[in-house]
Structure formats: structure tokens, C-alpha cells
């Protein structure tokens, strides 16, 4: 009861695309590019990898030769310091949606927010919209100054309006309707709890829609 609890809401698909861009298109994100990218490549061929690593060797032996060669080829490219090869957005989404039976094991950057912030269990004092967080942050400042006054004035530095909605839609044109549907099922609670709509029928506007 003594803490001010605030929450920043964002379109689930826009957050997913932002995470992919930040973690896999930024060359300085070494952990994600060097380690997790390799796991994602392999998991696109072996459904139970990496959650059952002890079976990887056995399963690999039983794969068709063509798949073995493709996996080894992709791993070699990922290991090459001279090659900027990285996973595609489609491969990333295949990996994320393969964890439907173990959602809590997902990386925090793309785990459904409803599983992280527990909005049904925590009563938040202030909710801010990410697309307009610079202006809406003033709501949080006003709340703090009114309900928890102190001798030090509070303020947020001005920050330009940030939205990756258009970029999100461009990335979603690369996905099949089936994959868009799987993503919606994964993030269904986020859509319902935070008031977003989902247009999975459209290849170019899947990230549009706020109720």
C-alpha cells in the first residue's frame, strides 16, 4: 500500500516486433545473436529442443540427411564472425509460438505482459500508453505530487512520441495467417486485458486497432 504502482501498456504485436529488432538486428546484442539465435534455428527443426536438450543428439541422428545438413549450415553461418546472418522474423515467431505449453519460460522481452505484471492481482494506480508515454507520464507525476508530496519537484524529460506501429505492420506482412493466429492465441490475454484489437486477417494492418 505504500508504493505507487504504474503500468505502461503497449500493443502486444508492436512490443514483439520491437523486441525482435532490438535483440536480433542490433549487432551489439551478443547474447541473443550468438546464443539464442542458434537455439531458435535448431528449434525450427526440432520441436523439443532446447527444452529437452538431452534428446537433441538422439533426435538429430534420426533427422533426414537434408535437414541435418541445413542445421549444420545455419549453425556454421551463425558461428562465422565474418557473416552478418541472423534469424528471420518468421523463424523468431515460430520459436516464440512453439512455447505455448510453457509460456512462463519465455524470455521476459516477449513473454505476455499479463504473465509478468499480473494486472488481475495488482491494483495499479496509473496506466500509461506507450505510444504517448512522454505526455502521459505527466499523469504519473501529477499523481505522485498529489498523493505522495515531497519537497523535491518531479518531472520527466521531454521525449519524442515513439510508435513502431507502421514498422510492426511491415514485419507482419512476412507472416502467414496461421502464424498470426498462433501469436494472437499466445497474447490473447494481453489483447483482452489492455483493450487492443487484433486484425489477423490483414497482412498489412495486424498491429492496428485500439479499443
Amino acid at each position: 500500500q505504500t508504493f505507487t504502482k504504474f503500468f505502461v501498456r503497449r500493443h502486444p504485436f508492436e512490443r514483439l516486433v520491437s523486441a525482435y529488432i532490438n535483440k536480433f538486428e542490433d549487432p551489439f546484442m551478443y547474447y541473443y545473436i550468438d546464443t539464442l539465435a542458434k537455439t531458435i534455428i535448431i528449434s525450427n527443426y526440432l520441436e523439443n529442443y532446447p527444452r529437452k536438450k538431452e534428446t537433441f543428439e538422439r533426435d538429430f541422428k534420426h533427422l533426414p540427411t537434408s535437414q541435418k545438413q541445413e542445421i549444420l549450415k545455419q549453425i556454421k553461418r551463425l558461428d562465422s564472425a565474418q557473416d552478418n546472418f541472423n534469424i528471420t522474423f518468421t523463424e523468431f515467431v515460430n520459436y516464440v509460438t512453439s512455447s505455448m505449453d510453457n509460456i512462463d519460460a519465455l524470455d521476459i522481452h516477449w513473454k505476455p505482459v499479463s504473465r509478468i505484471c499480473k494486472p488481475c492481482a495488482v491494483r495499479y494506480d496509473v496506466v500509461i500508453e506507450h505510444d504517448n508515454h512522454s505526455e502521459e507520464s505527466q499523469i504519473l507525476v501529477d499523481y505522485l505530487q498529489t498523493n505522495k508530496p515531497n519537497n523535491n519537484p518531479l518531472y520527466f524529460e521531454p521525449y519524442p512520441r515513439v510508435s513502431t506501429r507502421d514498422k510492426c505492420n511491415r514485419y507482419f506482412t512476412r507472416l502467414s495467417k496461421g502464424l498470426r493466429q498462433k501469436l494472437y492465441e499466445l497474447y490473447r490475454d494481453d489483447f483482452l486485458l489492455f483493450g487492443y484489437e487484433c486484425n489477423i486477417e490483414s497482412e498489412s494492418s495486424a498491429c492496428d486497432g485500439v479499443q
Side-chain angles (χ1 to χ4, degrees):
Q1 298 297 325
T2 61
F3 290 93
T4 296
K5 299 171 288 296
F6 70 95
F7 178 85
V8 180
R9 77 170 195 155
R10 189 178 192 183
H11 192 290
F13 288 171
E14 188 177 347
R15 174 173 169 259
L16 179 73
V17 170
S18 180
Y20 169 78
I21 292 172
N22 178 256
K23 304 306 179 189
F24 296 102
E25 294 190 347
D26 183 343
F28 296 103
M29 287 293 178
Y30 301 112
Y31 165 75
Y32 288 92
I33 293 175
D34 294 344
T35 304
L36 190 55
K38 186 181 298 183
T39 294
I40 291 173
I41 289 292
I42 296 173
S43 71
N44 273 270
Y45 291 92
L46 297 177
E47 184 177 345
N48 64 348
Y49 182 86
R51 285 172 291 282
K52 296 180 180 178
K53 292 184 179 181
E54 68 278 3
T55 67
F56 169 65
E57 218 176 288
R58 182 196 66 201
D59 293 340
F60 184 82
K61 290 179 180 179
H62 290 87
L63 285 176
T65 301
S66 60
Q67 286 194 3
K68 289 180 184 178
Q69 292 174 341
E70 183 62 23
I71 290 176
L72 293 174
K73 175 184 173 182
Q74 303 290 18
I75 292 176
K76 183 177 180 180
R77 293 184 70 187
L78 284 170
D79 285 339
S80 172
Q82 291 76 38
D83 197 341
N84 292 324
F85 171 77
N86 207 342
I87 64 166
T88 66
F89 183 61
T90 299
E91 289 170 331
F92 171 67
V93 170
N94 273 321
Y95 172 74
V96 171
T97 55
S98 71
S99 300
M100 292 288 290
D101 60 340
N102 194 18
I103 296 176
D104 288 328
L106 285 169
D107 185 280
I108 194 171
H109 295 95
W110 47 83
K111 181 188 297 185
V113 173
S114 53
R115 295 293 188 106
I116 303 171
C117 299
K118 310 293 183 183
C120 292
V122 178
R123 184 168 182 172
Y124 287 94
D125 302 298
V126 179
V127 177
I128 296 171
E129 177 66 37
H130 179 273
D131 284 2
N132 196 29
H133 66 77
S134 183
E135 295 176 19
E136 294 198 5
S137 293
Q138 188 60 43
I139 299 173
L140 176 60
V141 170
D142 293 342
Y143 179 90
L144 290 170
Q145 291 179 331
T146 300
N147 294 277
K148 301 183 185 295
N150 57 59
N151 296 325
N152 300 315
L154 299 172
Y155 68 97
F156 281 100
E157 292 287 345
Y159 194 83
R161 183 187 294 264
V162 176
S163 175
T164 55
R165 193 68 49 83
D166 291 340
K167 185 178 290 186
C168 175
N169 284 325
R170 289 198 300 273
Y171 275 75
F172 265 69
T173 61
R174 308 172 189 179
L175 303 181
S176 66
K177 180 182 175 182
L179 270 183
R180 296 197 299 272
Q181 179 65 46
K182 286 183 179 180
L183 278 177
Y184 175 72
E185 292 170 4
L186 177 63
Y187 294 103
R188 183 190 300 272
D189 287 347
D190 284 6
F191 277 101
L192 296 177
L193 287 170
F194 309 135
Y196 288 100
E197 296 176 344
C198 177
N199 186 9
I200 60 171
E201 297 293 332
S202 172
E203 292 184 353
S204 58
S205 59
C207 300
D208 292 341
V210 180
Q211 294 179 354

